[in-house]
């Protein structure tokens, strides 16, 4: 991961934990632009989007996460949970 994307991921985590979800989404979205092949950038975007808009809105982000990191069990769990909630 590039240092810029790494910094944005850290910022996204901090913002999400502080309840500043809109800012977390902006930071994570920017990180995916800088390093689109990194699963963690998509994971952080998915977590923030899920918190703001619900699991269904985060499906594409969780799907991209597991495409890039197929062994990430919690990513698969969140993706399955999102699909389940959408019926």
């Amino acid at each position: 991961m590039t240092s810029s994307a790494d910094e944005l991921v850290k910022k996204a985590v901090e913002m999400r934990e502080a309840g500043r979800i809109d800012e977390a989404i902006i930071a994570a979205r920017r990180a995916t632009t800088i390093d689109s092949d990194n699963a963690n950038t998509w994971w952080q975007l998915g977590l923030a989007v899920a918190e703001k808009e619900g699991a269904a809105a985060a499906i594409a982000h969780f799907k991209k996460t597991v495409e890039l990191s197929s062994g990430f069990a919690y990513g698969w769990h969140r993706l399955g949970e999102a699909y389940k909630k959408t019926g």
Side-chain angles (χ1 to χ4, degrees), residues 6-65:
D6 195 22
E7 290 172 20
L8 287 165
V9 164
K10 288 179 186 177
K11 183 175 181 176
V13 170
E14 290 170 7
M15 295 295 104
R16 190 171 43 80
E17 289 175 350
R20 297 166 61 181
I21 305 306
D22 289 332
E23 292 170 84
I25 291 171
I26 291 168
R29 193 174 309 274
R30 180 73 180 128
T32 64
T33 302
I34 292 170
D35 192 355
S36 63
D37 291 330
N38 185 283
N40 196 29
T41 63
W42 293 99
W43 175 244
Q44 294 304 323
L45 181 57
L47 292 175
V49 167
E51 193 163 327
K52 180 177 182 181
E53 301 172 23
I59 287 175
H61 310 306
F62 291 148
K63 186 174 180 183
K64 184 71 173 176
T65 299

